[in-house]
Amino acid sequence: MLHVLFEPFFHYGFMRRALVACFALSLSTTPLGGFLLLRRMSLVGDALSHAILPGVATGYLLSGMSLISMGIGGFIAGVIVAVLSSWASSITQLKEDASFAGFYLGSLALGVTLVSLHGSSLDLLHLLFGSILAVDADAIHFIGAIASITFVSLALMYRALIIEAFDADFLRVNSSGFPRLIQTLFLALVVLNLVAGFQMLGTLMSVGLMMLPSVAARCWTISLPKMLVLATVISMFCSWCGLLWSFYTSLPSGPTIVLSASLVFFFSILLGPSGGIALLLRRRRRRY
């Protein structure tokens, strides 16, 4: 059994690089997913993961498979969509989720059109679904830098993010404009991590490793620190399992990682003591 679990990572460099990149991404993106869940913005992460596609496609068309160019393009596109969505919801009757939906769908269509006009179907599949087993040393350094920036930023904004999530009115009264600044910086971190994830999981699935472990962890604990730690552990575990699943079955690595996280999510929904069906059954027994 140990041979099956560890042998691919000992003998193949591309498997080790993929695992290191997944672990770094888990440390970076999963806490952001926890705060998105806390702020009831889970689908915003999905919207932003689609919104970066035009920028990634533009960087690809200008510089080829340059990670830096595609990363910068994706970050700019994601920030533009986030800013425009917030602006539209502030000056119209639209809710923020509705404005995000409108902008991200247009952004996704634009990105697919750009790649279709000037690239091939293989290029489109690579951008949409990633290629985690092709991660090289430069990509690992890129992901590691983003993970470090995210970790430090979350440490500095931790208390403000919690207060803003539970009592935004308190921040508005005591610090004019501060909640908007916190939200802008937080969304910028989300976009930055989605840009880091697209190289491995693609623009369509990079949000999976961000949200699924956090939602699963929420079913097991109501403590935010414990939830963030547990979500990170779940993300790493699913990365390991997904890579092994892909190695032994020749299935695409990105989808198997996200599918592993989905299986943990369904398991947590069924048996989680703090938010799953088991909790609902216990409450009904107490009533009767």
Side-chain angles (χ1 to χ4, degrees):
M1 178 61 71
L2 293 178
H3 176 78
V4 172
L5 294 176
F6 295 99
E7 191 268 343
F9 302 105
F10 285 144
H11 288 82
Y12 299 98
F14 67 90
M15 290 291 289
R16 287 195 298 271
R17 289 191 294 270
L19 185 64
V20 170
C22 284
F23 279 6
L25 198 64
S26 297
L27 290 170
S28 178
T29 64
T30 308
L32 291 174
F35 281 108
L36 284 172
L37 180 65
L38 184 67
R39 296 157 65 96
R40 298 182 180 179
M41 297 173 63
S42 300
L43 292 179
V44 171
D46 182 60
L48 290 176
S49 71
H50 295 74
I52 68 174
L53 183 57
V56 172
T58 302
Y60 168 73
L61 296 176
L62 293 176
S63 304
M65 296 302 296
S66 170
L67 183 61
I68 300 299
S69 298
M70 291 190 295
I72 293 174
F75 179 74
I76 293 174
V79 169
I80 288 175
V81 169
V83 171
L84 289 178
S85 299
S86 298
W87 173 75
S89 63
S90 66
I91 66 171
T92 66
Q93 297 298 320
L94 290 175
K95 298 293 185 181
E96 192 170 24
D97 59 340
S99 60
F100 262 107
F103 281 105
Y104 100 77
L105 287 172
S107 184
L108 175 62
L110 176 60
V112 173
T113 302
L114 288 174
V115 179
S116 300
L117 288 176
H118 301 284
S120 65
S121 58
L122 184 61
D123 298 327
L124 181 60
L125 287 175
H126 177 76
L127 295 180
L128 291 178
F129 299 104
S131 181
I132 189 171
L133 297 182
V135 170
D136 55 15
D138 291 336
I140 292 178
H141 294 156
F142 180 71
I143 295 170
I146 290 179
S148 300
I149 293 172
T150 304
F151 192 81
V152 173
S153 300
L154 285 179
L156 295 174
M157 297 192 301
Y158 182 79
R159 291 177 61 86
L161 285 172
I162 294 176
I163 295 174
E164 201 272 338
F166 287 106
D167 195 357
D169 293 334
F170 173 81
L171 283 183
R172 292 191 186 97
V173 171
N174 292 275
S175 52
S176 178
F178 189 66
R180 179 64 63 180
L181 175 62
I182 290 295
Q183 183 174 5
T184 301
L185 292 176
F186 176 72
L187 290 178
L189 286 177
V190 172
V191 173
L192 192 62
N193 280 267
L194 291 173
V195 168
F198 92 88
Q199 170 75 5
M200 301 191 304
L201 304 175
T203 57
L204 291 185
M205 292 193 177
S206 58
V207 72
L209 207 58
M210 179 180 288
M211 293 308 309
L212 287 172
S214 298
V215 178
R218 174 60 185 84
C219 294
W220 296 96
T221 180
I222 59 174
S223 169
L224 179 60
K226 292 180 181 179
M227 186 187 80
L228 296 179
V229 173
L230 179 59
T232 303
V233 173
I234 291 174
S235 181
M236 291 181 174
F237 172 75
C238 293
S239 298
W240 184 289
C241 293
L243 287 173
L244 289 176
W245 188 356
S246 172
F247 180 81
Y248 288 115
T249 62
S250 299
L251 293 173
S253 301
T256 55
I257 290 174
V258 177
L259 188 56
S260 298
S262 298
L263 293 176
V264 174
F265 163 70
F266 288 126
F267 177 80
S268 301
I269 285 180
L270 292 175
L271 300 178
S274 297
I277 295 176
L279 175 63
L280 179 62
L281 293 177
R282 286 201 305 269
R283 289 177 175 175
R284 287 185 175 180
R285 288 175 183 173
R286 291 173 183 174
R287 290 177 183 177
Y288 298 104

